[in-house]
Amino acid sequence: MNQDILEEKILVDKSVLKEWKEWARKGDMRVKGYRIIEAPRGDRIDRIKRARFMIVERPHGVVYQHSFGLISKFYEGIVEGKLYGTKCPKCGLVYLPPRAHCWNPKCKLQETEWIEMPLEGVVVTYTIMAFAATPFLSELPFILAYVKVGDSVTALPIQLKEIDPVDVHIGLKVKIKFKENRVGDLMDLYAVPAEKPHPPPRSKEEIEWLKSELARVEEWVRKRFPEKFKK
Ligand SMILES: [Zn+2]
């Protein structure tokens, strides 16, 4: 057997491991320091006592490495500024986010083929994010939309920008855009309206409520990330 077929070759190397390896090794989870604090303890609010607790510190760094597997081309495409979906050669279903195998039961996990997708779609559903995972907290509040791109039967989760949250609606036509510095991350993509929004009629109370909720989130972000608002 030709052994070459089993070998792993690096074709593009934009790795940052050199810089981060040292950082990832730091710590090793062993106790490096501690604090003793006083804090409440008790099983019911009317039975609270104060107690001493010891808190140990175990520093630990991680660089996660994972493969995108058979849908790698989608992420490579993002780096190139192109949007790739997949299409089933048997039944013709189109997937974006891509699926490596067709989910149509009749196709029995037929392997799909790559196609380039148009940079336009329609909002299928959306939400206005008032809370998020740590890396996105400073961006709050933002709009997360699920967008059906071209003929896809799946919808792409994407941040929707350049629109007042009050104006977003299901059915809004959007354009897909790429951020300038791309690393192969879904967050390298965002969407903007491709038409003048035409939201369904909303009551004054509804709009006022949404605006006051958004103001509360903005106030929280301002407090939590003061450096973001310094000029
Ligand atoms: Zn199929």
Side-chain angles (χ1 to χ4, degrees):
M1 188 185 152
N2 182 0
Q3 285 299 308
D4 281 2
I5 202 161
L6 297 175
E7 240 155 67
E8 192 179 294
K9 274 190 213 161
I10 294 170
L11 301 177
V12 177
D13 195 352
K14 290 266 187 185
S15 174
V16 294
L17 277 181
K18 249 182 240 144
E19 295 102 275
W20 286 88
K21 224 176 198 165
E22 204 45 50
W23 179 83
R25 240 197 317 257
K26 260 183 201 162
D28 73 20
M29 300 278 286
R30 269 184 266 199
V31 175
K32 299 289 196 296
Y34 66 87
R35 279 178 301 158
I36 304 208
I37 63 160
E38 194 188 271
R41 59 157 284 187
D43 59 347
R44 258 177 32 186
I45 197 74
D46 59 344
R47 292 205 286 239
I48 299 272
K49 288 181 199 156
R50 306 281 293 174
R52 274 170 81 103
F53 295 95
M54 181 162 172
I55 296 170
V56 291
E57 293 159 355
R58 300 175 190 267
H60 179 49
V62 181
V63 176
Y64 287 105
Q65 292 183 70
H66 60 94
S67 166
F68 285 128
L70 291 180
I71 55 160
S72 292
K73 190 181 171 77
F74 169 70
Y75 291 94
E76 258 196 72
I78 289 179
V79 174
E80 291 163 14
K82 285 178 180 170
L83 209 50
Y84 288 111
T86 56
K87 186 173 182 172
C88 174
K90 271 195 190 166
C91 72
L93 285 185
V94 173
Y95 298 105
L96 182 81
R99 284 176 179 171
H101 298 89
C102 184
W103 280 27
N104 183 345
K106 287 180 193 152
C107 297
K108 299 198 164 79
L109 297 176
Q110 165 70 43
E111 205 163 305
T112 55
E113 289 164 358
W114 288 101
I115 54 168
E116 196 175 339
M117 301 293 289
L119 298 179
E120 51 198 31
V122 175
V123 172
V124 174
T125 189
Y126 70 95
T127 185
I128 299 162
M129 303 289 287
F131 199 63
T134 321
F136 316 117
L137 282 180
S138 67
E139 312 255 325
L140 292 173
F142 61 82
I143 303 154
L144 175 69
Y146 275 77
V147 169
K148 182 173 138 50
V149 176
D151 296 327
S152 176
V153 294
T154 47
L156 185 70
I158 192 166
Q159 194 178 346
L160 181 54
K161 294 186 179 186
E162 296 172 26
I163 184 168
D164 187 327
V166 169
D167 292 333
V168 187
H169 62 89
I170 290 168
L172 177 71
K173 286 183 187 149
V174 296
K175 278 188 231 161
I176 312 290
K177 298 268 190 183
F178 296 89
K179 286 183 189 162
E180 213 153 285
N181 299 311
R182 300 187 292 277
V183 286
D185 186 335
L186 264 191
M187 297 301 291
D188 292 344
L189 299 171
Y190 64 98
V192 298
E195 63 176 340
K196 195 170 175 291
H198 44 94
R202 283 165 181 157
S203 69
K204 216 178 132 200
E205 290 76 27
E206 215 177 337
I207 292 171
E208 288 304 309
W209 173 82
L210 178 59
K211 294 216 155 154
S212 74
E213 289 296 302
L214 290 174
R216 287 205 317 173
V217 178
E218 275 155 20
E219 195 193 318
W220 182 85
V221 174
R222 229 167 249 279
K223 266 191 206 148
R224 177 79 161 64
F225 301 97
E227 65 287 353
K228 197 187 150 187
F229 298 91
K230 262 184 214 147
K231 285 223 171 123

